[in-house]
Amino acid sequence: GSAGDVLEDNPVGKLKVFIYDLPRKYNKKMVTKDPRCLNHMFAAEIFMHRFLLSSAVRTLKPKEADWFYIPVYTTCDLTPAGLPLPFKSPRVMRSSIQYISNKWPFWNRTDGADHFFVVPHDFGACFHYQ
């Protein structure tokens, strides 16, 4: 085809994303502890999680999934001044990976190549490569 074919292509029904059901300490409990997370400049991770939960691309059957979303709110741990503490993020991310790799087989079959986090801050190159 043409460029028109690409623009008319609809991923719904083709793309499937499985969302891990993690313990609340990785996401919802952080928002309850500090609701400022909903309004700070990195809140995209929360809204992406909420969007995917109600999205047509979501699948409840992990064996059908093309991608696996790990809903960890990496920037929700805020200082009293309301700034995120991203240096804690790698530890939280590693903990979530350990949790899912022990509970489900999907991380282990690809070493996480088909898994993703939403990490909306600009500290990724400094911290998350570790």
Side-chain angles (χ1 to χ4, degrees), residues 2 12-13 18 21 78 81 102 107:
S2 68
V12 175
F18 179 77
D21 186 19
L78 303 175
N102 287 329
W107 177 277

Side-chain angles (χ1 to χ4, degrees), residues 30-110:
M30 296 172 123
V31 175
T32 303
K33 180 180 127 189
D34 194 339
R36 294 177 302 168
C37 291
L38 293 169
N39 299 313
H40 71 73
M41 65 181 179
F42 302 126
E45 62 192 349
I46 298 166
F47 294 104
M48 180 59 84
H49 184 196
R50 290 178 178 178
F51 167 77
L52 286 172
L53 285 172
S54 62
S55 172
V57 300
R58 181 182 185 197
T59 181
L60 299 175
K61 300 174 184 175
K63 290 183 179 178
E64 292 180 355
D66 302 300
W67 292 98
F68 295 81
Y69 172 55
I70 306 170
V72 175
Y73 299 168
T74 61
T75 60
C76 224
D77 194 4
L78 303 175
T79 67
L83 301 171
L85 296 166
F87 49 84
K88 292 184 177 182
S89 298
R91 184 172 13 125
V92 174
M93 293 170 76
R94 281 192 302 270
S95 173
S96 69
I97 291 168
Q98 184 176 22
Y99 177 81
I100 64 170
S101 65
N102 287 329
K103 185 168 177 157
W104 291 281
F106 308 106
W107 177 277
N108 300 324
R109 72 180 183 189
T110 65

Side-chain angles (χ1 to χ4, degrees), residues 7-22:
L7 297 175
E8 294 170 11
D9 196 18
N10 184 356
V12 175
K14 298 175 185 170
L15 176 68
K16 298 289 184 192
V17 177
F18 179 77
I19 303 169
Y20 283 106
D21 186 19
L22 298 179

